[in-house]
Amino acid sequence: MVPARRGDLFNPACPTRQLLDRIGGKWVAMIVKVLAENDPQELGFAELERRVPGVSHKMLSQTLRALTADGLVTRRVEPSVPPRVHYRLTALGLSLDEPLAALRDWAERHMPAINDAAGRASG
């Protein structure tokens, strides 16, 4: 594989591209936000499901599994019947909330203009 130059988004080895591939799904930003708001407390799976409107059980499970594999979320299983699973952001995951918050802020400020332009383009 060709080594990536800084900012070379066309190269699969580019760190920015790799990150965007991992966090680009719509559920990642929402899950990170909910967990960051609750930090340092853990949230159970069912509570996360309630706090992330529209996410399916399967998508939440897959996204949490990926975030855990990437070291952004910790998973703790409580030995009960049925087992209860708890999640919380790692320090690395918590550090991701700041740039995602900047993106949320940008969206709040600029989405009306984007929606207006999209409306003009389609009509």
Side-chain angles (χ1 to χ4, degrees):
M1 186 181 300
V2 178
R5 291 186 331 265
R6 183 175 171 87
D8 183 5
L9 297 177
F10 299 104
N11 185 329
C14 172
T16 302
R17 180 173 172 174
Q18 290 176 7
L19 178 68
L20 291 173
D21 286 345
R22 285 183 155 90
I23 68 165
K26 70 178 180 178
W27 301 116
V28 170
M30 292 182 209
I31 292 167
V32 168
K33 180 181 189 305
V34 168
L35 289 171
E37 288 174 342
N38 207 62
D39 188 68
Q41 304 296 316
E42 296 176 320
L43 283 178
F45 186 90
E47 183 62 23
L48 267 170
E49 209 168 18
R50 278 192 289 280
R51 292 192 191 189
V52 181
V55 69
S56 69
H57 187 91
K58 179 181 177 182
M59 243 0 260
L60 180 59
S61 180
Q62 287 177 352
T63 305
L64 286 167
R65 193 174 307 119
L67 290 170
T68 301
D70 288 340
L72 301 170
V73 169
T74 61
R75 179 181 187 268
R76 181 178 64 83
V77 178
E78 188 178 308
S80 58
V81 179
R84 291 180 41 104
V85 183
H86 305 275
Y87 297 91
R88 139 176 127 70
L89 290 175
T90 62
L92 184 62
L94 196 54
S95 73
L96 180 60
D97 187 52
E98 185 177 344
L100 288 177
L103 186 61
R104 290 190 301 265
D105 180 58
W106 187 92
E108 292 290 328
R109 289 184 285 119
H110 297 288
M111 279 311 295
I114 291 170
N115 288 334
D116 286 348
R120 286 192 303 273
S122 68

